[in-house]
Amino acid sequence: MILVTDAYNEIDDHFAIAYLLKSREALNCIGLCAAPFFNDRSASAQDGMKKSYHEIRKLLDLLNRRDIPVFYGSKTFLS
């Protein structure tokens, strides 16, 4: 599966990523994709997506899972 997440936006995404990566017997993670968000923690949807990308990378480093590919997501909200 590929998980699309705005990990920098809220803490719940950290739990989802950790659960996904610790559930190898049930879930096969082939990648993570950063999602855009825009609120007081970001200057734009694109900025939110880039912050989420770097947050995902940081979390994977903490979990020692650099083998999981991480992708930039959409720069804008999809209609």
Side-chain angles (χ1 to χ4, degrees):
M1 72 175 282
I2 295 176
L3 180 66
V4 179
T5 171
D6 60 347
Y8 193 82
N9 190 23
E10 298 167 338
I11 192 69
D12 63 318
D13 296 77
H14 292 77
F15 292 111
I17 292 168
Y19 184 83
L20 169 63
L21 298 180
K22 294 295 184 180
S23 300
R24 292 183 198 177
E25 66 285 344
L27 300 167
N28 180 26
C29 179
I30 60 172
L32 297 166
C33 185
F37 73 90
F38 177 57
N39 59 23
D40 60 338
R41 302 191 73 201
S42 63
S44 65
Q46 180 177 357
D47 178 57
M49 181 273 297
K50 287 182 178 179
K51 286 180 175 180
S52 288
Y53 175 88
H54 294 294
E55 187 71 11
I56 293 166
R57 286 272 185 211
K58 183 173 141 183
L59 184 57
L60 291 178
D61 284 344
L62 290 171
L63 293 169
N64 199 26
R65 290 298 308 270
R66 294 174 193 93
D67 59 310
I68 303 293
V70 181
F71 303 96
Y72 286 105
S74 176
K75 297 176 184 178
T76 62
F77 296 112
L78 304 176
S79 57

